[in-house]
Amino acid sequence: QIMRSQIDITMLLQAIRQAGELCLQYQQKNLSVQIKNDLSPVSEADLAVNDFINEAIKLNFPQIDIVSEENNPAANERARQQKTFFMLDPIDGTKAFIKGQKQFAISLAHIENNQPMAGILYLPAYGDIYYNNGQKAYKADQQEQRTYLNITACQAAKTALISGRFKDQAKLAEYKKKYAIDNIITMSSAMKFCQLLDNKANILLGLVPTKEWDLAAANAIINAAEGLMDDLNSERLSYGLRADFNSNLFIAQSAHN
């Protein structure tokens, strides 16, 4: 039985939509971009959106610390020690964002005792917001038309999503056999999770190293949408147990597969 989250994350939906507007405004500009120590790019938009969402969280939930891809390591470590915290990726898909493409998302989760309890995943360029409140998962469009999300069991040919960064064809053939996969679609960033939640694919294989803030919100929503997101040993994913926030490889699918 999934425990109900101790907070009402829907209080932050409006702030996340406003942060999305900010993303789109910055995308129209000539962005200044820096390269971080891990050689990934960060734009002024990442930092502005990060500040905006951090402020919104502090306003609504002043007692809860925040782990964010763009917060300083000391603040992240302080939050991590609490075991209960928010986890934020202000722009998941920075490379696509910088190129002016649509495949980027804002990803926010509430972690309780190292488990993802509530999540918001927003695609600003599409206007679709995915979230869960307790054990119900929803998708709302720009007109705030809400639909329930429910990941259905695979009935026919099984389609899998993988990252475009995964290049090991021999290993991929092994996974296809192991999970009885018929078709493979490659896709970047949080868009993959949305495809799974929309039942456009049946299984998602996380086969490249990634950070916990890329997964946390999607994990909470998938759990609430009758899905499962486990590591490759069928153990639940945890968040904030490792100081480097590196995640295990994972598989996400319907709980009824």
Side-chain angles (χ1 to χ4, degrees), residues 2 107-109 115-121 130-139 148-153 161 189-199 201-206 214-231 236-237 239 250-257:
I2 303 170
S107 186
L108 176 68
Q115 286 300 306
M117 300 303 289
I120 301 175
L121 203 51
Y130 297 74
Y131 66 98
N132 76 297
N133 200 13
Q135 292 164 289
K136 293 272 192 285
Y138 305 95
K139 175 184 182 178
Y148 277 115
L149 293 172
N150 184 306
I151 302 171
T152 53
L161 295 151
S189 78
M191 300 293 293
K192 291 194 291 290
F193 297 112
C194 301
Q195 294 280 313
L196 182 71
L197 287 161
D198 288 336
N199 287 307
N202 315 103
I203 188 169
L204 195 163
L205 292 170
D214 295 322
L215 309 183
N219 197 164
I221 301 163
I222 286 167
N223 287 350
E226 295 193 38
L228 274 182
M229 197 158 143
D230 292 330
D231 69 18
R236 278 195 311 186
L237 298 177
Y239 295 84
F250 68 91
I251 176 169
Q253 59 184 331
S254 165
H256 309 293
N257 268 2

Side-chain angles (χ1 to χ4, degrees), residues 20-189:
E21 279 302 303
L22 202 55
C23 286
L24 296 172
Q25 286 163 18
Y26 269 101
Q27 217 178 16
Q28 305 305 317
K29 301 196 330 187
N30 198 349
L31 280 177
S32 83
V33 178
Q34 294 156 329
I35 300 299
K36 296 195 287 196
N37 292 343
D38 66 359
L39 301 182
S40 66
V42 61
S43 74
E44 57 185 316
D46 293 84
L47 303 176
V49 168
N50 187 57
D51 288 347
F52 183 88
I53 297 172
N54 270 271
E55 288 308 312
I57 291 171
K58 283 172 190 158
L59 200 65
N60 287 284
F61 304 102
Q63 75 287 10
I64 305 176
D65 286 338
I66 304 158
V67 169
S68 170
E69 179 170 18
E70 310 306 345
N71 283 2
N72 73 62
N76 280 347
E77 179 56 25
R78 200 167 55 240
R80 187 181 79 84
Q81 297 286 346
Q82 308 299 319
K83 299 194 184 320
T84 291
F85 48 85
F86 281 100
M87 188 167 247
L88 171 66
D89 189 349
I91 299 181
D92 178 7
T94 298
K95 286 178 183 158
F97 175 80
I98 290 167
K99 289 180 189 154
Q101 295 167 353
K102 292 182 166 187
Q103 292 82 357
F104 64 92
I106 298 173
S107 186
L108 176 68
H110 186 241
I111 309 294
E112 287 169 30
N113 290 320
N114 303 110
Q115 286 300 306
M117 300 303 289
I120 301 175
L121 203 51
Y122 182 40
L123 308 177
Y126 297 92
D128 292 325
I129 198 160
Y130 297 74
Y131 66 98
N132 76 297
N133 200 13
Q135 292 164 289
K136 293 272 192 285
Y138 305 95
K139 175 184 182 178
D141 64 15
Q142 268 162 320
Q143 285 73 44
E144 294 301 339
Q145 290 292 321
R146 263 193 358 175
T147 47
Y148 277 115
L149 293 172
N150 184 306
I151 302 171
T152 53
C154 180
Q155 302 299 337
K158 196 185 270 188
T159 300
L161 295 151
I162 65 162
S163 165
R165 289 187 294 144
F166 187 72
K167 303 286 189 233
D168 186 338
Q169 292 306 317
K171 200 97 182 114
L172 193 56
E174 273 176 46
Y175 284 121
K176 277 184 81 167
K177 202 167 160 184
K178 181 177 177 182
Y179 297 113
I181 292 162
D182 300 294
N183 313 306
I184 298 267
I185 305 171
T186 58
M187 196 173 278
S188 65
S189 78

Side-chain angles (χ1 to χ4, degrees), residues 241-254:
L241 292 182
R242 298 177 51 150
D244 59 9
F245 300 107
N246 284 341
S247 176
N248 289 336
L249 304 184
F250 68 91
I251 176 169
Q253 59 184 331
S254 165

